[in-house]
């Protein structure tokens, strides 16, 4: 078992795997079989343990006992206690450790998942987020006792404003998508303050699915703008669709095809000429940190995905934060309360904004994620952030240049921090899904697939990967291209090293069967 996990957790170089019918699989199976049965059983936590086992010894409570019926309304009480498993501490630790080893993670695997910016999350972030002064406080404590976290939040909002080139930021939204919704609400409030109720929100056809979803939740009509064959916005289509009923254009720049749209200033002019607002989906800020600022290229309003750009472990619905930056004319509509620095130098909350859209998140926002973003920004500094963007872009373009002879790329370089390939496996019948699954055998997380265009892979290496890792990835990709020529079934039947092969992805998500039958 241990051997198998170590094998899995590294990127497996082609020469150890590509001989004949996949040695990786044989090695892994042999290692797995050698492990003692007892440890290999994959029971659910609910099937483990025995009555009476307990991981914690609690002292006798010094709070007087009351009958539960007198403390909790009858209709809220259950007849029997929940059937929770009874386990020792070590059982629980082993259970979760073994589950942790079964997943792909950035700590163990290269993770070129386009658009998601799965970069390494520096450990210093965790260290700071777990400091008791941040981790063990409560939002209802006296403001005087919360000065540290308030100062951190205040500073973070000023840094994010500076990076955006926009005057003010709210830290409330809990994710990128929530930031989009908050921004659209701000934009609606702005138009309403001018006696207008604009219904249309435009977004290029390469937009992330959350863009039209946010429009719909905000009660607006989402309308798609065509992209040109070079991945840029089709200005003619934009001109034809933008009008006095358009509230905003939502744009991602660099966009999800991996290109920076240099016509952005023209786009801003076209949108503003109709009184509409230019909104930037800032998920790709990683590529432009310290190089250019959205406020400088005409953006009125944007969100950050701090968990992507400023590193917090995310994915699988993990935590995020989606701060929103706005231009001067949108400031009155920002959510309240806003964290402020007072004239006496203390920090506190300001709710005095009569035109505010109100509150979009309880308490102080996703504080743990915001502390990590602050730590990340402070530990890198201005030059460090610029370096992030330069290396992210360099790494993506390096991979693209080394792969292009085998992997066609529909959009011309240069790329930003990610790029798209539509693999052409001729008439082998191999698809992008097969390639993604085969990468798993080599210890690499599959890239984003089939979006924003059909049959593509979107590859984002991030700045945190070394040249050696990038070279290994290239070698693996070229090896798989060879495998397709030599033995397409090897690729079509991948993965060969996983406990499960191809799942019905919808059913696996909606009706998960978490039992592993080796
Ligand atoms: C990730 C992403 C989003 C959504 O952000 P969440 O934080 O996951 O809600 C929106 N747009 C783009 C381009 C993204 O990559």
């Amino acid at each position: 078992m241990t051997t198998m996990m170590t094998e899995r957790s590294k990127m497996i170089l082609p020469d150890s795997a590509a001989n004949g019918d996949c040695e990786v699989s044989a090695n892994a199976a042999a290692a797995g079989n050698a492990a003692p049965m007892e440890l290999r059983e994959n029971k659910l936590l609910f099937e483990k343990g025995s009555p009476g086992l307990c991981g914690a010894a609690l002292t006798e409570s010094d709070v007087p006992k009351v009958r539960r019926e007198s403390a909790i309304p009858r209709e809220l009480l259950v007849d029997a206690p929940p059937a929770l498993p009874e386990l020792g501490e070590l059982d629980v630790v082993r259970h979760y450790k073994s589950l942790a080893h079964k997943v792909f993670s950035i700590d163990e695997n290269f993770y070129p998942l386009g658009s998601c910016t799965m970069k390494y999350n520096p450990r210093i972030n965790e260290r700071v987020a777990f400091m008791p002064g941040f981790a063990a406080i409560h939002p209802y404590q006296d403001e005087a006792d919360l000065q540290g976290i308030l100062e951190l939040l205040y500073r973070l909002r000023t840094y994010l404003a500076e990076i955006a080139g926009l005057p003010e930021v709210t830290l409330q939204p809990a994710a990128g998508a929530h930031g989009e919704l908050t921004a659209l609400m701000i934009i609606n409030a702005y138009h309403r303050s001018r006696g207008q109720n604009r219904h249309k929100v435009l977004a290029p056809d390469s937009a992330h699915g959350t863009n039209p979803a946010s429009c719909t939740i905000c009660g607006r009509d989402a309308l798609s703008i065509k992209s040109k064959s070079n991945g840029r916005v089709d200005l003619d289509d934009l001109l034809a669709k933008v009008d006095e009923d358009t509230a905003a254009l939502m744009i991602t720049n660099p966009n999800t095809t991996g290109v920076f749209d240099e016509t952005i200033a023209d786009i801003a002019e076209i949108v503003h000429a109709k009184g509409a607002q230019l909104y930037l989906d800032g998920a790709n800020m990683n590529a432009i940190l310290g190089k250019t600022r959205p406020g400088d290229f005409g953006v009125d309003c944007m969100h950050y995905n701090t968990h992507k750009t400023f590193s917090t472990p995310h994915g699988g619905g993990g935590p995020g934060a989606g701060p929103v930056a706005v231009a001067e004319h949108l400031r009155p509509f920002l959510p309240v309360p806003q964290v402020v620095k007072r004239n006496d130098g203390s920090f506190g909350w300001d709710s005095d904004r009569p035109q505010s859209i109100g509150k979009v998140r309880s308490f102080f926002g996703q504080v743990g994620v915001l502390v990590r973003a602050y730590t990340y920004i402070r530990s890198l500094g201005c030059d460090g952030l610029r370096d992030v963007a330069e290396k992210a872009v360099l790494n993506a373009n390096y991979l693209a240049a080394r792969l292009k002879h085998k992997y066609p790329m529909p959009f011309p370089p240069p790329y930003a921090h990610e790029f798209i390939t539509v693999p052409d496996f001729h008439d082998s019948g191999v698809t992008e899904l097969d390639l993604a699954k085969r990468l798993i055998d080599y210890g690499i997380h599959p890239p984003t697939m089939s979006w924003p265009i059909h049959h593509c892979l979107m590859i984002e290496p991030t700045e945190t990967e070394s040249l050696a890792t990038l070279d290994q990835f290239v070698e693996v990709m070229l090896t798989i291209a060879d495998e397709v020529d030599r033995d397409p079934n090897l690729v079509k039947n991948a993965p060969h090293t996983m406990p499960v092969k191809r799942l019905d992805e919808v059913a696996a998500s909606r009706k998960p069967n978490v039992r592993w039958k080796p």
Side-chain angles (χ1 to χ4, degrees), residues 115-116 175-178 180 208 210-211 252 256 281 283-284 303 305 307-308 320-321 451:
S115 208
C116 296
H178 194 202
E180 293 169 24
H208 194 264
T210 50
N211 290 188
T252 311
T256 59
D281 176 330
N284 294 339
H303 82 256
N305 302 65
H307 43 297
K308 296 177 183 172
W451 175 76

